[in-house]
Amino acid sequence: MNRNASDVCEVYYVNEKHVAKARKVLSSDREILALAETFRNLGDPTRVKILQALTVEELCVCDLAKLLGVSESATSHQLRVLRSRRLVRFRKEGKMAFYSLDDEHIVTLMKEALRHVREGIA
Amino acid sequence: MNRNASDVCEVYYVNEKHVAKARKVLSSDREILALAETFRNLGDPTRVKILQALTVEELCVCDLAKLLGVSESATSHQLRVLRSRRLVRFRKEGKMAFYSLDDEHIVTLMKEALRHVREGIA
DNA sequence: ATCACACATGAACATGCGTTCAGGTGTAGG
DNA sequence: CCTACACCTGAACGCATGTTCATGTGTGAT
């Protein structure tokens, strides 16, 4: 049978001090969820490309669609995901919508993640 | 019908210069995929908690399971995901496996993401 | 006003992902 | 050797997520 955390574990070998210590540094559930959702929004190749592209300059949906090689509809959906976590913002100019990165944290996140990835020899 | 990037778009209003400029900054497909996978691995509340907890000190699977309130099996699976992108590493000591963060980039990523999240009033 | 277009949205479908269950591996102790 | 245990892994289930199709919205031009 599968053991769960309530039988053997806590009595015989869990180090409660370590657990308590670790628990203190955890963010609130709300922040944890927000963090996870933010990372998940970043966790798609198409959206990574969008964000990398937007580090240069703002782009309209059509340019992005062309760059990514997907339909405008798909691009628009992805942009909505990114908007939901305030990773990008946009302004309307006539019929066009120009998207840009919402804040500098995003740039930092991307750069730091890229460093991590590149360290992996790969 | 749905328009795709190959009919109207490129001829009439896509700004090819912008597209070309943006394309230059894009990482290789391999790096893009690695980035997306890394972010996706971070995009789960349980794994976020694990990483936050490990910023304090290394912990064994059992401690983590207790902290998270889930089974050891589930914890082990999540740890495997984190290992797959080298977000954590582990060392064996007798029967126990102690996990810790793989590099400092992870700490930076978490902190920066937390700043972003907290700026969102929320 | 009407049309074309640039983009957004809703719904449906298929894939992927996290969780759980069951069993497996390797180590420590008797 | 055998047992107990700390952890790992494979498979299956169910939900969430990404993509596509079709339609809707709003702007600019004629």
Side-chain angles (χ1 to χ4, degrees), chain B residues 50-74:
Chain B
I50 291 176
L51 294 176
Q52 280 201 343
L54 294 182
T55 57
V56 184
E57 59 184 346
E58 63 174 12
L59 290 169
C60 68
V61 177
C62 182
D63 286 344
L64 284 169
K66 183 73 193 303
L67 175 66
L68 304 170
V70 301
S71 71
E72 285 178 32
S73 177

Side-chain angles (χ1 to χ4, degrees), chain A residues 32-33 35-40, chain B residues 38-51 68 78 81-82 110:
Chain A
I32 294 283
L33 286 174
L35 277 172
E37 200 184 332
T38 299
F39 282 127
R40 202 170 55 232
Chain B
T38 299
F39 283 127
R40 201 169 57 231
N41 288 4
L42 291 167
D44 176 86
T46 300
R47 292 196 287 272
V48 168
K49 283 186 191 173
I50 291 176
L51 294 176
L68 304 170
Q78 303 287 21
V81 173
L82 293 173
M110 298 294 292

Side-chain angles (χ1 to χ4, degrees), chain A residues 3 8 13 40 44 46-47 71 73-74 77-78 94-95:
Chain A
R3 278 165 288 118
V8 174
Y13 68 96
R40 202 170 55 232
D44 176 86
T46 300
R47 293 197 287 273
S71 70
S73 177
H77 276 294
Q78 303 287 21
K95 290 188 287 189

Side-chain angles (χ1 to χ4, degrees), chain B residues 50-116:
Chain B
I50 291 176
L51 294 176
Q52 280 201 343
L54 294 182
T55 57
V56 184
E57 59 184 346
E58 63 174 12
L59 290 169
C60 68
V61 177
C62 182
D63 286 344
L64 284 169
K66 183 73 193 303
L67 175 66
L68 304 170
V70 301
S71 71
E72 285 178 32
S73 177
T75 305
S76 195
H77 275 295
Q78 303 287 21
L79 287 168
R80 177 160 61 157
V81 173
L82 293 173
R83 259 184 298 159
S84 75
R85 279 285 100 193
R86 303 182 356 276
L87 299 172
V88 301
R89 63 178 154 204
F90 73 109
R91 66 181 180 84
K92 300 275 284 211
E93 185 176 318
K95 288 188 286 190
M96 320 275 280
F98 289 93
Y99 282 81
S100 55
L101 298 183
D102 192 281
D103 63 40
E104 286 303 312
H105 296 317
I106 315 303
V107 183
T108 306
L109 279 175
M110 298 294 292
K111 283 183 182 171
E112 199 69 12
L114 197 55
R115 280 198 205 103
H116 172 74

Side-chain angles (χ1 to χ4, degrees), chain A residues 4-116:
Chain A
N4 59 43
S6 64
D7 49 33
V8 174
C9 228
E10 60 186 328
V11 178
Y12 294 112
Y13 68 96
V14 163
N15 189 322
E16 291 289 357
K17 287 184 181 176
H18 289 176
V19 174
K21 193 169 164 188
R23 202 185 301 278
K24 279 186 187 171
V25 303
L26 291 188
S27 298
S28 67
D29 283 357
R30 194 156 99 186
E31 279 184 349
I32 294 283
L33 286 174
L35 277 172
E37 200 184 332
T38 299
F39 282 127
R40 202 170 55 232
N41 288 3
L42 291 166
D44 176 86
T46 300
R47 293 197 287 273
V48 168
K49 283 185 191 175
I50 290 176
L51 293 176
Q52 280 201 344
L54 294 183
T55 58
V56 184
E57 60 185 345
E58 63 175 12
L59 290 169
C60 67
V61 177
C62 182
D63 285 344
L64 284 168
K66 182 73 194 303
L67 175 65
L68 303 169
V70 302
S71 70
E72 285 178 32
S73 177
T75 305
S76 197
H77 276 294
Q78 303 287 21
L79 287 169
R80 177 157 66 154
V81 173
L82 293 173
R83 260 185 298 162
S84 76
R85 282 281 92 189
R86 304 183 353 279
L87 299 173
V88 300
R89 62 179 156 202
F90 73 109
R91 66 181 180 85
K92 299 275 285 213
E93 186 177 318
K95 290 188 287 189
M96 320 274 279
F98 289 93
Y99 281 81
S100 55
L101 298 182
D102 190 281
D103 63 38
E104 285 303 311
H105 295 318
I106 315 304
V107 182
T108 305
L109 278 175
M110 298 294 292
K111 283 183 183 171
E112 199 67 13
L114 197 55
R115 279 197 207 105
H116 172 74

